[in-house]
Amino acid sequence: MSKKETPVVSSSVLKNFTPYKVKKGEEYMNENQREHFKMILRQWRNQLMEEVDRTVHHLQDDAANYPDPADRATQEEEFSLELRTRDRERKLIKKIDSTIEKIAQDDYGFCESCGIEIGIRRLEARPTADKCIDCKTLDEIREKQWGA
C-alpha cells in the first residue's frame, strides 16, 4: 500500500482510496469534495453488490441435499448467516443510495442535529455519517442510559 492510500473500514471493508487533500482556503463540501465522496460511495456500493452476486452463486452452487442431518444443519446455518449478512448489506446499500442523493441535493457533510461540518476525515472513515462526532457520541450516551 502506498503512502497515498488509506483503508476505510466499516461494516463491510471498503477497498483503498486516496484521501482527499484539503487545499488552504478551500470551501467545505465544494464540487471536488462532493465528487470524491460520490466516488467512494459508488465504489463501496459496487463492492457490496459484488458480494450479493457471489452469495447468490454460492447458494445456487452449494445447495446440496446432504443425507447426514449434521452436514445439512451446518449448511443451513452457513446459508442463514450469509443471508443475514446480505440483509444488513442490503440496508447499507439503501443508506449509500440515500447518501449519494444527499450529495446530489447539496445536503451532504453537515450534521443533521446541529448543522456543523461533519469533517472530511470522519466522512472518509464513515461516508454515510449524518452526524458530527459530538452529536453521535451524545446519541450513544443517551442510548446507553435509556436503553433505547
Side-chain angles (χ1 to χ4, degrees):
M1 185 175 355
S2 74
K3 288 182 180 180
K4 291 183 176 184
E5 295 179 335
T6 304
V8 172
V9 180
S10 195
S11 62
S12 181
V13 178
L14 180 62
K15 293 179 179 141
N16 296 338
F17 69 93
T18 303
Y20 187 84
K21 286 187 177 29
V22 179
K23 294 159 191 74
K24 191 173 183 173
E26 182 177 29
E27 182 183 341
Y28 181 72
M29 261 326 119
N30 62 41
E31 186 61 31
N32 290 336
Q33 292 173 4
R34 289 192 306 268
E35 283 301 317
H36 173 72
F37 287 107
K38 273 196 273 190
M39 182 272 307
I40 289 172
L41 289 159
R42 286 182 183 137
Q43 181 182 358
W44 193 11
R45 186 184 194 288
N46 291 341
Q47 184 181 335
L48 291 169
M49 293 302 292
E50 287 172 12
E51 285 298 316
V52 168
D53 290 343
R54 267 197 289 277
T55 296
V56 169
H57 293 301
H58 173 71
L59 293 175
Q60 289 171 342
D61 294 345
D62 291 355
N65 193 3
Y66 293 109
D68 180 49
D71 290 341
R72 200 167 40 248
T74 299
Q75 180 190 42
E76 287 175 14
E77 183 60 30
E78 176 189 319
F79 284 178
S80 175
L81 181 61
E82 206 165 332
L83 289 171
R84 278 196 306 262
T85 301
R86 295 305 153 248
D87 187 51
R88 280 194 306 276
E89 289 176 350
R90 179 186 57 78
K91 291 173 185 169
L92 181 54
I93 288 169
K94 278 183 163 181
K95 189 164 186 173
I96 290 170
D97 288 341
S98 107
T99 302
I100 291 171
E101 183 59 31
K102 275 183 165 183
I103 293 172
Q105 294 173 358
D106 239 358
D107 194 25
Y108 178 71
F110 297 91
C111 180
E112 64 181 29
S113 293
C114 70
I116 69 165
E117 298 174 359
I118 292 175
I120 301 294
R121 297 302 164 242
R122 172 158 166 69
L123 290 169
E124 284 180 336
R126 185 150 193 88
T128 57
D130 51 16
K131 292 188 178 181
C132 68
I133 196 70
D134 292 334
C135 289
K136 185 63 178 173
T137 301
L138 283 173
D139 282 354
E140 289 172 0
I141 291 169
R142 283 187 203 109
E143 190 175 310
K144 279 183 186 175
Q145 288 176 341
W146 300 102

